[in-house]
Amino acid sequence: MKDKVTIHTLKRLKQSGQKICMVTAYDATFARLLDEAGADVLLVGDSLGMVVQGHDSTLPVTMDQMIYHCTAVTRGARRAHVVGDMPFMSYQTSVEAAVRNAGRLVAEGGVGSVKLEGGAEFAETVAAITRASIPVMGHLGLTPQSVHKMGGYVVQGKDENAARKILHDAQALERAGCYALVLEGVPAELGWQITQRLSIPTIGIGAGVACDGQVLVCYDLLGMNPNFKPKFVKRYADLHGSITGAAGAFFAEVRAGTFPDEDHSFHSKTLRLVASNAHPATEGAEGAEGTEKVGPVYGVPV
Ligand SMILES: Nc1nc(=O)c2c([nH]1)NC[C@@H]1CN(c3ccc(C(=O)N[C@@H](CCC(=O)O)C(=O)O)cc3)CN21
Ligand SMILES: CC(C)C(=O)C(=O)O
Ligand SMILES: [Mg+2]
């Protein structure tokens, strides 16, 4: 097993000009696959509310649900650092609640750090969680938990005033103790400017190539939903096609009666199966090809 990635590894990657690779994961199987593929960071994103639960926003996700997914991902991860998203309303009501909930993600979920959305207004919250020895990743720009405030999933920081505010928020988060910062849905020029001005790593999603790292939702990069195509998503595979194709092939064989075949069946010591449309002396489903239907099979004494 390679050495575990820590928040210190990530800082070193920025200092040496090497990119940070982050991807979301929601279960142990994907965590194992993405870790094996070379992820530095696995994010248990509250995007699970949309891609796993089927909601149209991340707002309904609860602390208990985040902890459940974090336990699965941390079991599957080997080398990668695992970050847990703090869900909507788990850190906004008070600094005390924020520290308690961040602590639950670490103690019960097993993650190495937490992420929360927001700027200077959460500097005190970030400082308090950091004081509790829990590293915090910030998240600025298009912050999905503020979908109603933003009026939709809209790119942020396009004009000079909005860009300056995001830069000031980034600097406030760095001062408050964040070890890294996600920049989502901002112009590439702003991504470059913030990356250049901060000593902590920036990890972009729709924030241009100059960021110190990049993150995508795993289901997006794998091409699992052909109907979700924001500009920042690149599909590196067509799992939608692979999955519908594979499952469709299974269903076709089930309907044709050609699955399960000999290789996938167990046998009795006292009974023998005979297909009703085959001669009892010949083997069961032999001669049935393609979508040709075979009749019911009967157990007869050996
Ligand atoms: N599958 C998935 N991928 C994500 O990246 C993601 C989620 N879910 N859920 C939580 C948030 C929501 N996200 C979104 C959702 C939609 C757009 C979107 O439609 N963007 C427009 C921007 C339009 C504009 O302002 O110009 C686009 O065309 O990119 C962006 C981010 C990012 N996060
Ligand atoms: C898109 C990333 C940054 C995220 O916050 C999530 O997946 O919830
Ligand atoms: Mg999130």
Side-chain angles (χ1 to χ4, degrees), residues 26 46-51 57-58 142-144 152-156 158 184-185 205 215-220 225 228-233:
Y26 312 109
D46 61 350
S47 50
L48 70 85
M50 295 170 79
V51 296
S57 79
T58 59
L142 194 171
T143 45
Y153 299 110
V154 184
V155 171
Q156 304 290 301
K158 280 195 165 187
E184 176 168 357
I205 171 166
V215 57
L216 281 176
V217 166
C218 60
Y219 293 8
D220 295 346
N225 180 2
F228 184 73
K229 38 186 175 242
K231 189 172 169 69
F232 61 86
V233 169

Side-chain angles (χ1 to χ4, degrees), residues 23-37:
V23 63
T24 66
Y26 312 109
D27 62 48
T29 297
F30 269 87
R32 185 167 38 73
L33 283 165
L34 297 166
D35 186 298
E36 192 181 319

Side-chain angles (χ1 to χ4, degrees), residues 28-299:
T29 297
F30 269 87
R32 185 167 38 73
L33 283 165
L34 297 166
D35 186 298
E36 192 181 319
D40 299 310
V41 186
L42 294 177
L43 171 67
V44 187
D46 61 350
S47 50
L48 70 85
M50 295 170 79
V51 296
V52 176
Q53 299 176 338
H55 294 294
D56 60 5
S57 79
T58 59
L59 307 185
V61 178
T62 67
M63 270 303 298
D64 287 343
Q65 291 165 352
M66 287 306 304
I67 290 167
Y68 170 75
H69 286 279
C70 286
T71 60
V73 169
T74 53
R75 281 186 212 116
R78 292 287 173 270
R79 172 186 171 270
H81 175 78
V82 181
V83 183
D85 247 350
M86 297 204 65
F88 184 57
M89 282 302 126
S90 69
Y91 60 94
Q92 290 91 341
T93 55
S94 73
V95 170
E96 194 185 301
V99 175
R100 187 167 49 243
N101 285 321
R104 288 192 67 197
L105 285 178
V106 173
E108 300 174 47
V111 300
S113 68
V114 302
K115 177 166 80 59
L116 58 81
E117 298 178 8
E121 68 275 22
F122 288 101
E124 199 193 329
T125 306
V126 168
I129 297 171
T130 306
R131 253 196 315 276
S133 302
I134 299 169
V136 181
M137 180 181 284
H139 184 162
L140 287 176
L142 194 171
T143 45
Q145 290 176 16
S146 306
V147 59
H148 298 307
K149 179 177 164 184
M150 295 183 297
Y153 299 110
V154 184
V155 171
Q156 304 290 301
K158 280 195 165 187
D159 63 51
E160 199 178 326
N161 281 337
R164 194 178 301 116
K165 179 175 187 309
I166 295 172
L167 173 61
H168 286 154
D169 281 338
Q171 290 170 322
L173 290 175
E174 174 171 68
R175 273 196 304 274
C178 280
Y179 75 90
L181 184 58
V182 165
L183 291 176
E184 176 168 357
V186 299
E189 296 78 10
L190 179 58
W192 170 80
Q193 194 171 46
I194 293 172
T195 301
Q196 204 203 27
R197 301 252 189 125
L198 297 191
S199 64
I200 60 172
T202 61
I203 301 174
I205 171 166
V209 75
C211 294
D212 298 305
Q214 298 292 329
V215 57
L216 281 176
V217 166
C218 60
Y219 293 8
D220 295 346
L221 79 89
L222 295 171
M224 292 178 75
N225 180 2
N227 301 316
F228 184 73
K229 38 186 175 242
K231 189 172 169 69
F232 61 86
V233 169
K234 179 172 176 182
R235 300 200 183 105
Y236 291 86
D238 174 26
L239 283 209
H240 173 266
S242 300
I243 291 171
T244 55
F250 167 57
F251 302 148
E253 291 193 4
V254 169
R255 292 189 176 114
T258 56
F259 180 86
D261 57 12
E262 271 307 296
D263 288 348
H264 301 92
S265 298
F266 305 104
H267 286 294
S268 161
K269 287 178 177 161
T270 57
L271 291 174
R272 188 167 68 94
L273 286 177
V274 173
S276 66
N277 62 348
H279 190 278
T282 68
E283 275 299 318
E286 264 179 18
E289 280 181 3
T291 57
E292 193 187 320
K293 269 188 118 85
V294 295
V297 290
Y298 300 100

